[in-house]
Amino acid sequence: MRLKASLAAFLLCLASLAATAQDKRPDQLVNGYEPKWWKEAVVYQIYPRSFQDSNGDGIGDLPGITQHLDYLQSLGVNVIWLSPHFDSPNADNGYDIRDYRKVMTEFGTMADFDTLLAGIKQRHMRLIIDLVVNHTSDEHQWFVMSRSSKTNPYRDFYIWRPGKVAPDGTRLPPNNYPSYFSGSAWQYDAPTKEYYLHYFAVKQPDLNWANPRVREEVFSLMRFWLDKGVSGFRMDVIPLISKPTGLPDLTPEQLKNPSATFANGPQLTEYLQQMNREVLSHYDDMTVGEAIGTTVAQTPSLVDDRRHELNMIFNFDAVRIGRAGGEGPRGAWTLPQLKAIYDAHATLLGKHDWDTVFLSNHDNPRLVSAFGDDSAAFRAPSAKLLETMILTLRGTPFLYQGDELGMTNYPFKSLADYNDIAVKNAYKARVETGQITPDVFFAATARISRDNARTPMQWDNSPEAGFTSGTHPWLAVNPNYPQINAAAEARDPDSVLTYTRRLIALRAHTPAFVYGDYQDLDPWHPHVFAYTRTLGPDTCLVIENFSSETIPYTLPNNLKAAHELLSNYPAAPEENTPTLHLQPWESRIYKQ
Ligand code: TEU
Ligand code: CA
């Protein structure tokens, strides 16, 4: 009896030891967070087509990126996210992949990729790549076989359904799903007289994740790149991979926001946990999901570290308000709206979750044009203020190429100025059908088009901004490149580039900006964003004037601004005072 009891106690003790080995001890945590390299990282997104052309054909390429690794290192970023570099017919600029194990011919060879990766590692940086596996190109071998016959072994790699027939005999798609790129999400395919599902372009058929062979293929290509030495993935539209059960029609209410129904389907958890178990958990990697259709409240269901799915996601609430229509060049958003989004993140994401901070990418207008003031007088200070915010809020910051220069939206005039399939399809669907006038269409499109972010990087003031030695860049260079370019800004102590370098350097030795708690001091102030980041005894205070006016601002709660660490204006610091005289778009960081 005694022996039995002590055996039980011994086993219990073993079990609890095992439990503590798995769970981190409090002294291994920083402010309750488990420390990770990707929580401390500053990520820089490269859109390879637009970064640097090395051979004069007008298309950016991998050797072009390798040429600029010293630039990236001196900026201080330590993770590079490369938008798709895989073999592709470019219906959607590489987000339509034909061969996951081959480099896009225009971008170079696998040897060029290996050289790029080696150069990144040599500089103690890491590379993450874009995993686009909700869909492939229709030119992918799997789809070529899938569409060839109903009995082909690859038939089930995609989502095929018979159509419906209208009372008058016309053929109709299987349901009313719309495509993100206009029209129906279903395409009739003559050889087998069935429809395939494509949430995006007709040339981007959706993979059928319910088929375990599809998942095995995806896991295998992930291992291929991880074994080469990449450090993880940005996962394109990942919440869309599990489709709604039975694919019923969307209700009129659901049609107002189809993403909410398309995203986070019934098997998403199962697929991501399998991916984590079979692939991700075997590497020291990071993952960030592009979480289209996912609310902040739903975020922990993808990133809570006890679930073993993804590390972080992109939530688009903040980006979305920058796209909303309204009078004036910057749309209709207000600062209290923007603050409320970050405040909701702080409330809803706990110590087991991790957040991202970003306001731009290759799908959105330029940072300074959407959220700052890109007029000549305020472009530089507002671009610096926005970088300040992104690099000091809670979460891993993601910077998009060219925003560190304060690059702006492009002055688009006509359809011929655009490249994006989303614009071309929308023009056909809305203007050519007479739904809206060209003027209305172009006014909205110029402000929010994805092509704003895709114009070539502005390296110097030579022709084509030094992007290409040829005369035909694939998308026109912004005519403001003689004023806004990396070479000029590198020489200028007051440039956006010089400021961003200093800011990233400050962040690198300020752990409060990584693991510190966040508090919004004044959520309702219409023009000033004031917040603290606190880690143990260290508090940093950040003050940002989101307006083109001078504002006297008194800190709430009897607070005083103590010691100034950085400001985007050259004036003498105001210290140990509750009242600050903020210049237009001024941002300041204080140590309290
Ligand atoms: O984007 C997902 C997405 O739905 C949007 O950003 C979309 O591109 C936009 O609303 C349309 O105007 C991802 C990629 O980031 C994007 O570049 C791709 O086109 C898309 O998936 C398909 O792969
Ligand atoms: Ca090239």
Side-chain angles (χ1 to χ4, degrees):
M1 192 64 202
R2 258 244 180 106
L3 195 68
K4 240 183 174 174
S6 65
L7 188 66
F10 176 64
L11 286 176
L12 205 70
C13 171
L14 264 188
S16 74
L17 266 181
T20 41
Q22 253 177 29
D23 300 336
K24 293 278 163 197
R25 295 195 317 266
D27 64 329
Q28 294 173 302
L29 301 177
V30 180
N31 189 23
Y33 294 102
E34 186 179 347
K36 291 280 183 190
W37 62 264
W38 43 264
K39 296 182 180 174
E40 296 164 20
V42 175
V43 187
Y44 184 94
Q45 182 190 356
I46 291 182
Y47 194 67
R49 207 171 190 76
S50 306
F51 197 64
Q52 175 72 63
D53 173 21
S54 71
N55 63 353
D57 67 355
I59 298 174
D61 45 49
L62 301 186
I65 301 172
T66 303
Q67 286 173 22
H68 288 293
L69 290 179
D70 288 337
Y71 169 84
L72 296 172
Q73 189 179 28
S74 76
L75 185 59
V77 299
N78 32 39
V79 174
I80 293 166
W81 152 26
L82 186 62
S83 271
H85 64 284
F86 315 93
D87 176 48
S88 163
N90 286 304
D92 188 20
N93 286 346
Y95 282 89
D96 49 320
I97 297 170
R98 184 165 47 200
D99 184 341
Y100 289 97
R101 288 179 170 79
K102 194 172 164 231
V103 171
M104 192 190 296
T105 316
E106 297 93 315
F107 290 174
T109 61
M110 193 61 92
D112 293 328
F113 180 88
D114 294 338
T115 306
L116 171 62
L117 183 56
I120 290 171
K121 297 201 159 180
Q122 200 190 341
R123 289 167 181 80
H124 309 290
M125 300 189 284
R126 301 184 197 237
L127 178 66
I128 66 167
I129 59 173
D130 222 306
L131 185 75
V132 189
V133 288
N134 172 68
H135 44 267
T136 69
S137 164
D138 66 339
E139 297 182 29
H140 194 292
Q141 267 312 305
W142 301 334
F143 191 75
V144 172
M145 291 190 273
S146 183
R147 82 190 326 177
S148 68
S149 87
K150 285 188 187 173
T151 54
N152 188 283
Y154 283 87
R155 183 65 169 182
D156 256 2
F157 265 51
Y158 296 85
I159 299 167
W160 293 95
R161 293 287 184 279
K164 288 185 191 156
V165 185
D168 68 354
T170 5
R171 202 168 51 218
L172 292 173
N175 72 17
N176 67 356
Y177 284 8
S179 155
Y180 287 98
F181 291 157
S182 305
S184 168
W186 293 97
Q187 176 71 13
Y188 180 72
D189 206 45
T192 56
K193 301 190 170 57
E194 283 193 334
Y195 287 79
Y196 66 83
L197 182 68
H198 63 89
Y199 279 168
F200 293 89
V202 171
K203 281 180 70 65
Q204 290 169 301
D206 281 44
L207 282 165
N208 175 22
W209 274 70
N211 179 347
R213 284 178 58 212
V214 166
R215 303 201 293 274
E216 281 314 321
E217 287 286 358
V218 170
F219 300 161
S220 153
L221 77 88
M222 291 172 73
R223 287 184 204 106
F224 172 84
W225 290 100
L226 287 164
D227 290 340
K228 254 188 180 298
V230 310
S231 298
F233 303 97
R234 176 268 188 185
M235 299 187 181
D236 195 61
V237 295
I238 199 71
L240 304 188
I241 59 176
S242 165
K243 309 300 184 210
T245 310
L247 305 176
D249 273 339
L250 296 182
T251 63
E253 198 48 38
Q254 288 173 321
L255 276 169
K256 291 180 191 158
N257 177 18
S259 293
T261 310
F262 290 170
N264 304 308
Q267 272 83 45
L268 184 65
T269 301
E270 176 194 329
Y271 299 159
L272 292 179
Q273 289 183 350
Q274 185 188 5
M275 178 192 280
N276 193 297
R277 200 168 55 239
E278 295 192 18
V279 185
L280 300 170
S281 62
H282 301 277
Y283 299 85
D284 178 25
D285 54 9
M286 69 165 259
T287 53
V288 53
E290 189 205 17
I292 181 170
T294 305
T295 63
V296 188
Q298 289 169 318
T299 299
S301 74
L302 290 163
V303 306
D304 185 312
D305 58 15
R306 294 164 294 193
R307 297 176 61 92
H308 304 289
E309 294 178 36
L310 304 177
N311 297 141
M312 315 170 246
I313 62 160
F314 295 130
N315 169 284
F316 288 96
D317 290 352
V319 160
R320 200 171 298 117
I321 67 166
R323 299 175 62 95
E327 304 285 310
R330 292 200 301 277
W333 64 277
T334 66
L335 183 64
Q337 247 181 318
L338 184 66
K339 292 190 273 193
I341 291 169
Y342 295 120
D343 297 350
H345 280 235
T347 314
L348 294 166
L349 272 64
K351 305 266 162 160
H352 283 283
D353 310 309
W354 194 253
D355 211 348
T356 59
V357 191
F358 70 103
L359 282 176
S360 57
N361 60 24
H362 65 294
D363 290 333
N364 285 287
R366 279 286 167 188
L367 175 66
V368 70
S369 301
F371 289 95
D373 180 339
D374 64 7
S375 68
F378 301 124
R379 181 191 64 85
S382 65
K384 292 173 190 171
L385 174 145
L386 292 163
E387 298 289 30
T388 307
M389 188 187 84
I390 291 168
L391 284 149
T392 59
L393 281 175
R394 201 181 68 152
T396 296
F398 285 72
L399 309 181
Y400 180 68
Q401 69 181 38
D403 285 342
E404 78 278 18
L405 308 176
M407 278 177 64
T408 66
N409 277 357
Y410 182 89
F412 291 106
K413 297 273 176 306
S414 68
L415 194 61
D417 295 339
Y418 295 92
N419 166 275
D420 186 4
I421 184 169
V423 174
K424 309 250 155 158
N425 284 2
Y427 186 86
K428 279 194 205 116
R430 309 207 57 208
V431 182
E432 287 180 4
T433 55
Q435 277 178 29
I436 55 173
T437 65
D439 283 359
V440 170
F441 180 80
F442 285 119
T445 305
R447 193 172 69 79
I448 60 169
S449 166
R450 310 197 293 180
D451 283 336
N452 283 304
R454 300 177 181 185
T455 64
M457 262 297 270
Q458 294 165 206
W459 291 109
D460 58 40
N461 64 2
S462 68
E464 310 302 345
F467 164 70
T468 175
S469 60
T471 47
H472 288 94
W474 72 277
L475 190 64
V477 173
N478 194 309
N480 62 21
Y481 76 86
Q483 292 78 46
I484 304 172
N485 66 69
E489 295 196 27
R491 287 189 301 265
D492 176 359
D494 292 327
S495 67
V496 182
L497 176 61
T498 304
Y499 177 83
T500 306
R501 284 179 176 157
R502 290 170 61 202
L503 176 63
I504 295 175
L506 172 66
R507 183 189 154 93
H509 59 253
T510 313
F513 286 135
V514 178
Y515 296 111
D517 291 330
Y518 159 86
Q519 195 193 350
D520 181 352
L521 300 178
D522 200 352
W524 298 109
H525 195 287
H527 302 302
V528 176
F529 195 3
Y531 51 92
T532 51
R533 299 293 312 278
T534 303
L535 183 64
D538 298 326
T539 292
C540 288
L541 167 69
V542 185
I543 318 274
E544 295 152 351
N545 174 7
F546 272 77
S547 84
S548 305
E549 316 293 326
T550 302
I551 294 189
Y553 179 66
T554 301
L555 287 161
N557 316 334
N558 298 320
L559 270 171
K560 278 185 181 176
H563 169 63
E564 190 178 291
L565 297 175
L566 188 66
S567 155
N568 63 350
Y569 272 80
E574 287 184 303
E575 297 191 329
N576 301 313
T577 167
T579 301
L580 309 173
H581 299 84
L582 301 171
Q583 298 295 308
W585 296 99
E586 181 164 10
S587 62
R588 298 185 192 169
I589 301 175
Y590 286 92
K591 176 142 182 50
Q592 293 304 93

